[in-house]
Amino acid sequence: MTDESQAGLYKRVMIKLSGEALTGPEDHGLHAPTLSRIAEDLVGAAKLGSEIAVVVGGGNFFRGMQGAAKGIERARADSIGMLATVMNALAIEAAVEAAGHPARALSAVPMPSLCQPYSRQAALHHLAKQRICILAGGTGNPFFTTDTGAVLRGAELSADVVMKATQVDGIYTADPKRDPKAEWIGRLTHDEAIERRLAVMDTAAFALARENRIPIMVFSIAEPSAITEALSGHGRFTVVTP
């Protein structure tokens, strides 16, 4: 699908990357070839001229909701999940630098011996220097998903779009992996996504994007250059608009 979304229209881009996207064919952890492929894709996106920020999840190591289901207090489980996002951010930072582009990992949970604490001013400074910013620690608070964290950071940093990288090529009327009759949706509004309870992002993330009038692109990260292609307006993706 070719859309009006073009890299030249987006000065600043927020990419939400799940931890699971880094596992490749493995069950958990980091898959080095997949990590390198995604890092090269991020560098390619930056070379299109946009400033690139990334919010990364931690589900490849630990997910707060799953920990809570196993008897860990939810706030504590979410804190463990935040630490997992820092591990992923450091790995992405190293992979982007290995691909020849400057990067900075910043964490909403301060741990200055490992990476720079997140602040809006620091992130804006790095983006202006064309460094890819990898933002870890979610919002720094329990009970908020990294989807919500991505939209929050997108609003803080005046991002022109939030790109949600998933395992499927957009939003469907149901889970296409479970329902063969699920229909692909090319475009819808934030209100429609909330009303239809489409589970690709949580309601808080959609509501925050709606309030700040930030469009969301949902696309598959499975193929090489997926980010670059979607950012260029090529391939297949869903656009959620204000």
Side-chain angles (χ1 to χ4, degrees):
M1 172 183 175
T2 299
D3 191 84
E4 64 186 15
S5 306
Q6 301 288 331
L9 299 179
Y10 295 140
K11 178 179 183 294
R12 187 169 296 146
V13 177
M14 175 62 66
I15 298 170
K16 165 61 202 319
L17 185 64
S18 70
E20 289 89 340
L22 304 176
T23 62
E26 308 295 337
D27 293 331
H28 65 281
L30 296 167
H31 182 246
T34 298
L35 181 62
S36 295
R37 171 177 63 80
I38 292 175
E40 290 171 1
D41 198 2
L42 290 170
V43 172
K47 288 180 177 178
L48 291 176
S50 296
E51 298 172 357
I52 303 296
V54 181
V55 166
V56 63
N60 54 324
F61 289 115
F62 189 91
R63 184 182 294 276
M65 288 292 290
Q66 293 173 346
K70 294 179 180 179
I72 302 175
E73 180 188 11
R74 173 64 190 276
R76 193 179 302 272
D78 281 352
S79 295
I80 298 171
M82 291 178 210
L83 298 179
T85 70
V86 176
M87 292 191 285
N88 284 335
L90 292 173
I92 296 170
E93 178 188 46
V96 169
E97 290 177 343
H101 196 91
R104 291 292 186 276
L106 299 93
S107 173
V109 180
M111 45 185 73
S113 63
L114 297 179
C115 60
Q116 185 174 357
Y118 171 81
S119 72
R120 179 175 180 271
Q121 293 81 0
L124 289 173
H125 170 77
H126 293 310
L127 290 170
K129 296 289 187 180
Q130 298 301 312
R131 296 164 184 154
I132 294 175
C133 287
I134 304 99
L135 309 180
T139 67
N141 302 286
F143 302 101
F144 289 93
T145 68
T146 48
D147 281 349
T148 300
V151 178
L152 172 63
R153 297 295 182 233
E156 279 186 319
L157 300 175
S158 301
D160 297 302
V161 65
V162 172
M163 298 181 69
K164 161 88 173 181
T166 71
Q167 303 302 312
V168 293
D169 58 355
I171 297 178
Y172 286 75
T173 54
D175 185 345
K177 295 181 180 179
R178 298 181 180 180
D179 184 354
K181 296 182 180 180
E183 297 181 0
W184 180 79
I185 304 170
R187 180 179 291 271
L188 71 164
T189 66
H190 295 122
D191 283 333
E192 289 172 329
I194 293 169
E195 290 169 5
R196 297 170 69 171
R197 299 184 179 181
L198 298 173
V200 68
M201 296 183 86
D202 60 88
T203 300
F206 278 128
L208 189 58
R210 177 183 61 187
E211 291 168 11
N212 291 277
R213 302 193 64 77
I214 304 174
I216 298 170
M217 292 176 63
V218 182
F219 66 103
S220 171
I221 194 66
E223 299 298 326
S225 301
I227 298 169
T228 306
E229 286 292 300
L231 190 55
S232 299
H234 302 137
R236 186 168 158 107
F237 52 83
T238 297
V239 179
V240 187
T241 58

